[in-house]
Amino acid sequence: ILAMTAANGWELHQMDVKTAFLNGDLEGEVYMEQPEGYVDPTYPDKVCRLLQALYGLKQAPKMWYAKLDAFLKSQGFDNIDPDACLYLQMDDGEIIIVLVYVDDLLLVGSSMEAINKIKKALRKRFEMKDLGEAKVILGLEISRDKTLGTLKLSQGKYAGQVLEKFGMAECNPIATPLEVGLQLAKSEKSDESLPYREAVGSLMYLMVGTRPDLAFAVGKLSRFVSGYGKEHWAAVKRVLRYVKGSVDKGLVYNKSASGILQGFSDADWAGDYETRRSTTGFMFIFGGAAVSWASKLQKTVALSTMEAEYMALCEASKEAVWLDKLIQRVTMLVTQSDNLVGPVNIKVDNSGCIDFAKNPVEHKRTKHIDIRYHFVRDAITTDKVILEHCPTDEMAADPMTKELAKVKHDKHVKTMGMC
């Protein structure tokens, strides 16, 4: 949605709901003990029946969402199938999009009149805090240049806090997250004196939000949170040194970039030193920068490079189908047209994998592959995805599967839309 906002020059504002969970209407009877300091001396053993939701109540988040959902639909918004927290409305040629994250709302509108209209309705129904033009959402910093038509998403402040927290604020920067060919083995006993788990967890939020270049490093280091030592901590410190040299890097969406979803799928066969399982990596670019990415260890051991690539392609295809459905729904509303864009193009650097996906023929070397991985064949048959071979040097998902040297790493990070 942010990529579309940059491309179309839409307005982007933010609102916050005060005491959101207190707005929920309870279903059924719920009782609580009398709160401390407010116990009735006449009936100290009695309990209170709740008439509305409270913070700490298991039902509170669901009840709040139900209340907000009903309100937005009463205002003419449609809920999007692939994402229950995305609402769209076309009113007199003006598009309004509301993105919900618990009590944080991002409002996207084709004009300030459209934004002000939904703000007025929200203020009338709920107690709201108007935060104006969106600058920070969930720790993600948003900066725009409407003249150039760019929108940058970064976490510079958070990255600085992580470095400060682990005593790396003054460290020497380094060009890549991990040393090429790094092999780590799980320790029998964790060194509890090292803040390893906390550091990996802190880096994970950075990676999930705006830093696909950290995906493989964080994924690899996460495998050792139950058994780590000094060599593992040294690897974490190297990642922090890399972050130090790229604190201000972020994803930049550009109106001049392609508005067509482009996927990349890759795998590193038997890359895990202990289990010999392979690593899946995929990335999708839209509007000039990455919008979805993943790097994760495959659940089973692949017996060949082709099999590892095929399993990775299945994961990428599932993500492609979901993302395409989301983009199609928004695009159809904006253009007021049912003319759908073609299937999602996914680039793969293994010809055998492409041939196997397109040709549903089983033989003794492939019949053992789990049937769930054949999802990709169905996606090809129904024109949801198409596969394209690309040279390994052009595979932008390569950093999601292995450690790379500086030249290759920098090249692929640029393809991710990071600058």
Side-chain angles (χ1 to χ4, degrees):
I1 300 298
L2 293 178
M4 289 183 173
T5 299
N8 294 284
W10 291 336
E11 299 293 336
L12 181 66
H13 281 241
Q14 185 179 359
M15 296 189 85
D16 181 78
V17 187
K18 296 181 180 178
T19 59
F21 287 179
L22 300 185
N23 289 288
D25 297 324
L26 287 177
E27 295 176 357
E29 295 185 8
V30 180
Y31 297 88
M32 64 173 282
E33 294 178 0
Q34 294 184 54
E36 188 177 341
Y38 293 89
V39 178
D40 188 334
T42 311
Y43 304 104
D45 297 328
K46 288 198 172 186
V47 294
C48 302
R49 179 180 175 181
L50 291 180
L51 300 179
Q52 68 177 53
L54 291 177
Y55 278 83
L57 200 66
K58 289 180 180 179
Q59 301 96 315
K62 184 176 184 294
M63 295 299 101
W64 156 241
Y65 172 76
K67 174 65 74 72
L68 181 62
D69 178 71
F71 168 74
L72 289 173
K73 286 179 177 176
S74 72
Q75 297 296 309
F77 283 86
D78 288 324
N79 200 211
I80 288 293
D81 288 337
D83 192 332
C85 294
L86 175 59
Y87 294 84
L88 300 174
Q89 183 190 75
M90 180 64 82
D91 184 25
D92 292 333
E94 300 276 19
I95 187 168
I96 310 173
I97 303 175
V98 178
L99 297 114
V100 181
Y101 192 93
V102 191
D103 58 350
D104 289 302
L105 306 182
L106 267 184
L107 310 177
V108 178
S110 51
S111 69
M112 273 311 301
E113 289 75 15
I115 292 284
N116 290 331
K117 179 185 175 183
I118 185 59
K119 279 186 177 182
K120 183 178 179 182
L122 284 165
R123 279 195 296 262
K124 190 175 180 181
R125 181 64 185 83
F126 305 106
E127 194 176 351
M128 306 289 298
K129 184 189 294 182
D130 190 345
L131 302 175
E133 198 166 344
K135 299 294 183 184
V136 180
I137 177 75
L138 306 174
L140 311 183
E141 299 160 32
I142 301 171
S143 55
R144 296 184 70 182
D145 187 327
K146 291 185 179 180
T147 306
L148 296 176
T150 61
L151 185 150
K152 181 182 177 183
L153 203 58
S154 61
Q155 290 169 281
K157 183 178 178 182
Y158 175 76
Q161 291 172 345
V162 171
L163 292 169
E164 192 74 42
K165 180 178 179 181
F166 298 104
M168 301 290 285
E170 303 301 325
C171 67
N172 294 321
I174 202 164
T176 58
L178 292 177
E179 181 185 349
V180 176
L182 175 69
Q183 298 289 359
L184 294 171
K186 186 177 289 187
S187 302
E188 291 184 8
K189 188 178 180 182
S190 297
D191 186 344
E192 299 295 341
S193 66
L194 301 171
Y196 184 83
R197 294 190 187 98
E198 294 89 339
V200 172
S202 298
L203 287 168
M204 190 172 291
Y205 187 62
L206 194 59
M207 177 273 292
V208 168
T210 60
R211 297 296 298 268
D213 55 330
L214 297 176
F216 175 73
V218 173
K220 184 167 186 172
L221 297 175
S222 297
R223 301 170 197 170
F224 307 102
V225 291
S226 60
Y228 55 86
K230 287 185 171 60
E231 67 275 19
H232 302 91
W233 179 240
V236 169
K237 288 174 73 175
R238 181 186 172 104
V239 178
L240 290 170
R241 289 175 63 195
Y242 172 72
V243 171
K244 169 67 176 179
S246 57
V247 166
D248 295 322
K249 271 194 176 178
L251 299 168
V252 179
Y253 303 103
N254 196 321
K255 71 176 182 180
S256 61
S258 172
I260 298 175
L261 188 66
Q262 173 68 67
F264 295 86
S265 172
D266 196 22
D268 179 39
W269 182 45
D272 186 65
Y273 181 69
E274 292 186 302
T275 66
R276 284 306 178 191
R277 285 190 282 166
S278 307
T279 302
T280 286
F282 66 75
M283 180 176 62
F284 289 89
I285 293 175
F286 181 78
V291 291
S292 178
W293 55 87
S295 174
K296 51 188 175 183
L297 208 59
Q298 294 180 356
K299 294 181 180 179
T300 56
V301 175
L303 301 182
S304 66
T305 303
M306 185 279 291
E307 186 179 335
E309 294 276 2
Y310 187 69
M311 291 160 69
L313 181 58
C314 174
E315 297 298 322
S317 298
K318 289 190 286 187
E319 186 72 3
V321 170
W322 186 87
L323 284 170
D324 187 51
K325 190 176 181 182
L326 183 70
I327 293 169
Q328 299 281 15
R329 286 294 306 273
V330 179
T331 303
M332 285 167 60
L333 185 69
V334 173
T335 62
Q336 295 288 289
S337 171
D338 292 333
N339 294 326
L340 300 179
V341 183
V344 180
N345 183 295
I346 301 178
K347 293 190 175 184
V348 185
D349 63 0
N350 186 288
S351 299
C353 171
I354 296 175
D355 293 340
F356 182 63
K358 290 181 177 179
N359 185 20
V361 175
E362 305 292 350
H363 50 76
K364 62 182 181 181
R365 288 193 297 176
T366 60
K367 63 183 180 182
H368 65 279
I369 296 177
D370 196 326
I371 195 168
R372 67 195 176 103
Y373 293 116
H374 295 318
F375 171 87
V376 64
R377 288 180 174 172
D378 183 59
I380 293 171
T381 304
T382 55
D383 288 331
K384 291 176 181 174
V385 303
I386 56 173
L387 306 183
E388 178 186 342
H389 182 265
C390 78
T392 301
D393 287 343
E394 303 299 322
M395 175 46 66
D398 212 20
M400 306 288 177
T401 63
K402 62 178 77 71
E403 309 90 351
L404 297 177
K406 182 182 184 304
V407 175
K408 269 192 174 182
H409 178 79
D410 289 348
K411 176 183 176 180
H412 293 314
V413 167
K414 188 175 180 181
T415 306
M416 293 174 188
M418 297 191 66
C419 57

